[in-house]
Amino acid sequence: QVQLQESGPGLVKPSQILSLTCTVSGGSISSGDYYWTWIRQPPGKGLEWIGYIRYSGSTFHNPSLKSRVTISIDTSKNQFSLTLSSVTAADTAVYYCARGNGYDDFDIWGQGTMVTVSS
Amino acid sequence: QSALTQPASVSGSPGQSITISCTGTSSDVGNYNLVSWYQQHPGKAPKLMIYEVTERPSGVSNRFSGSKSGNTASLTISGLQAEDEAHYYCCSYAGGTTVVFGGGTKLTVL
């Protein structure tokens, strides 16, 4: 069965770039018309949709994050990635990658990775 | 986009039924049948419980059901069990390429 696993640094300094990768196993990231998605959850708070990418490369993100977000896909490695620039303490959160069957229908999730923004 | 509005907490006794509401606007919940619900236990990733307002993924108990009226979607859990105690989040497509979550509801099984 398809599984997702996030990886990346757990600590990022303010104003720097947060970079995370989601590795897809048990299936091809190129098969099916899925929405490969990033979602985050600040400590003790709710979920926030960050954005998604499709295997074709089309990508969309939460307007509230403005131009700080970049989502990319590497079909040869079966991975998709998130970069978030100019981070602040408000970006401290557990970051999840998920597979979407549609815009809002996330049926498979990674375990999540905690990223702390601090000097 | 503003977050969808959910009650902060609900509670019920084992065997009872509870309903969690999720209120949006005519731009999201009211305009699309693309509402989903997620269950999250502490320290765990969310789990999809309902999609497209009323559909249940394979493996999810039929004690969980979803509905929608106007700008408000609802999740009903019947025959409450101790294992249902968790946070629940609604999610809706909001047009264009935007997706919005609710603030979450903590369900306590008394």
Side-chain angles (χ1 to χ4, degrees):
Chain A
Q1 70 280 22
V2 174
Q3 294 182 312
L4 280 61
Q5 177 69 59
E6 305 89 351
S7 59
L11 180 65
V12 181
K13 294 186 188 311
S15 81
Q16 296 195 342
I17 295 174
L18 179 160
S19 294
L20 296 173
T21 295
C22 182
T23 300
V24 180
S25 60
S28 171
I29 202 170
S30 301
S31 66
D33 194 16
Y34 296 112
Y35 295 67
W36 301 101
T37 303
W38 289 98
I39 293 162
R40 69 181 182 179
Q41 184 171 36
K45 296 187 177 181
L47 301 168
E48 180 183 25
W49 176 78
I50 297 172
Y52 68 78
I53 190 166
R54 301 170 79 174
Y55 80 89
S56 62
S58 62
T59 178
F60 297 96
H61 61 265
N62 191 326
S64 69
L65 295 171
K66 298 179 181 172
S67 58
R68 297 197 296 131
V69 173
T70 301
I71 299 175
S72 59
I73 192 166
D74 187 336
T75 55
S76 66
K77 294 182 178 179
N78 232 29
Q79 296 175 332
F80 63 106
S81 299
L82 168 71
T83 60
L84 182 64
S85 62
S86 304
V87 298
T88 69
D91 296 309
T92 293
V94 175
Y95 285 76
Y96 294 100
C97 59
R99 187 183 80 170
N101 290 295
Y103 293 111
D104 72 307
D105 173 8
F106 312 115
D107 64 339
I108 300 175
W109 295 64
Q111 65 184 27
T113 187
M114 179 68 200
V115 178
T116 301
V117 178
S118 174
S119 55
Chain B
Q1 284 291 338
S2 300
L4 306 175
T5 300
Q6 297 181 233
S9 63
V10 298
S11 62
S13 299
Q16 289 185 331
S17 294
I18 63 95
T19 297
I20 300 172
S21 61
C22 170
T23 302
T25 70
S26 58
S27 296
D28 39 61
V29 174
N31 201 32
Y32 306 97
N33 287 326
L34 293 175
V35 176
S36 51
W37 288 90
Y38 299 86
Q39 176 191 64
Q40 186 179 35
H41 287 109
K44 301 295 186 182
K47 175 186 177 183
L48 178 66
M49 306 302 285
I50 296 288
Y51 66 99
E52 293 178 2
V53 179
T54 61
E55 300 301 307
R56 213 171 29 249
S58 174
V60 172
S61 170
N62 59 10
R63 298 186 297 106
F64 292 82
S65 63
S67 63
K68 190 183 85 166
S69 177
N71 296 337
T72 299
S74 298
L75 172 72
T76 297
I77 308 173
S78 59
L80 266 181
Q81 299 179 1
E83 68 216 46
D84 299 331
E85 185 162 295
H87 278 86
Y88 290 84
Y89 295 91
C90 61
C91 179
S92 175
Y93 176 58
T97 56
T98 302
V99 171
V100 62
F101 280 96
T105 297
K106 178 174 173 55
L107 168 62
T108 300
V109 180
L110 302 171

